[in-house]
């Protein structure tokens, strides 16, 4: 069970890092981006997207590991799926996987990809609509991430004790 506790600590840390990133965006980055002109917004947003997607340190790696690592204890402890640890981990994983991971890939990433195609010298006329849509989507996934983080922290306190 030591391996489960170690893996749990690693994915909890990853989910927490992602929650911190989304918190930072909600509280600091988005308000700052709202003050920029279309050209400034395009240039800054493109820089943010490229920096955050950089391999191997980008959020893609952290998010991917945090979506996959919880499967180890869930599969390994399948026979103990009635336990609070298993259920909290499963719920935290499902919220993070679907409510943050899939949500981001399906809804936020297409907006990011569109922004990357914009010419900063001549952003599209509807640039503010794309910004508003992304911000609204982020406002949905951020509390989902917080909840998933809290659930996996709680689960850590319920982890199996045997060696």
């Amino acid at each position: 069970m030591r391996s489960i506790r170690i893996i749990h600590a690693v994915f909890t840390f990853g989910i927490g890092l992602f929650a911190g990133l989304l918190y930072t965006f909600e509280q600091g980055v988005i308000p700052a981006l709202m003050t920029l002109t279309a050209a400034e917004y395009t240039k800054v947003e493109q820089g943010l997207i490229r920096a955050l997607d950089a391999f191997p340190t980008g959020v893609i790696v952290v998010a991917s590991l945090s979506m996959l690592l919880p499967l180890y204890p869930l599969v390994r402890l399948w026979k103990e799926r009635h336990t609070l640890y298993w259920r909290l981990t499963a719920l935290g994983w499902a919220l993070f996987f679907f409510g943050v991971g899939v949500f981001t890939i399906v809804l936020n990433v297409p907006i990011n990809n569109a922004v990357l195609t914009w010419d900063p010298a001549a952003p599209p006329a509807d640039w503010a609509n794309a910004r508003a849509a992304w911000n609204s989507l982020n406002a949905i996934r951020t509390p989902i991430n917080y909840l998933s983080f809290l659930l996996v922290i709680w689960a850590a306190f319920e982890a199996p004790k045997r060696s």
Side-chain angles (χ1 to χ4, degrees), residues 2-74:
R2 182 177 181 165
S3 62
I4 287 174
R5 288 192 304 272
I6 291 168
I7 294 292
H8 192 98
V10 171
F11 70 72
T12 299
F13 182 70
I15 291 171
L17 283 175
F18 210 82
L21 173 70
L22 295 183
Y23 176 82
T24 300
F25 262 81
E26 279 296 314
Q27 298 302 311
V29 176
I30 290 172
L33 291 174
M34 295 298 289
T35 67
L36 303 178
T37 66
E40 293 168 334
Y41 173 81
T42 301
K43 188 173 182 179
V44 170
E45 188 67 20
Q46 287 175 347
L48 284 169
I49 294 166
R50 288 185 183 107
L52 292 172
D53 288 351
F55 188 82
T57 59
V59 296
I60 293 170
V61 173
V62 173
S64 297
L65 286 173
S66 300
M67 287 188 286
L68 297 174
L69 286 177
L71 296 175
Y72 175 74
L74 293 175

Side-chain angles (χ1 to χ4, degrees), residues 49-126:
I49 294 166
R50 288 185 183 107
L52 292 172
D53 288 351
F55 188 82
T57 59
V59 296
I60 293 170
V61 173
V62 173
S64 297
L65 286 173
S66 300
M67 287 188 286
L68 297 174
L69 286 177
L71 296 175
Y72 175 74
L74 293 175
V75 170
R76 183 124 183 258
L77 298 173
W78 177 252
K79 291 181 182 177
E80 298 179 40
R81 63 188 176 273
H82 63 281
T83 64
L84 186 56
Y85 170 79
W86 197 94
R87 290 179 180 183
L88 290 170
T89 301
L91 183 55
W93 170 79
L95 284 171
F96 188 75
F97 186 87
F98 294 105
V100 179
V102 172
F103 186 97
T104 299
I105 292 165
V106 171
L107 300 170
N108 290 80
V109 169
I111 297 170
N112 289 353
N113 291 340
V115 170
L116 288 172
T117 68
W118 297 353
D119 176 3
D126 66 344

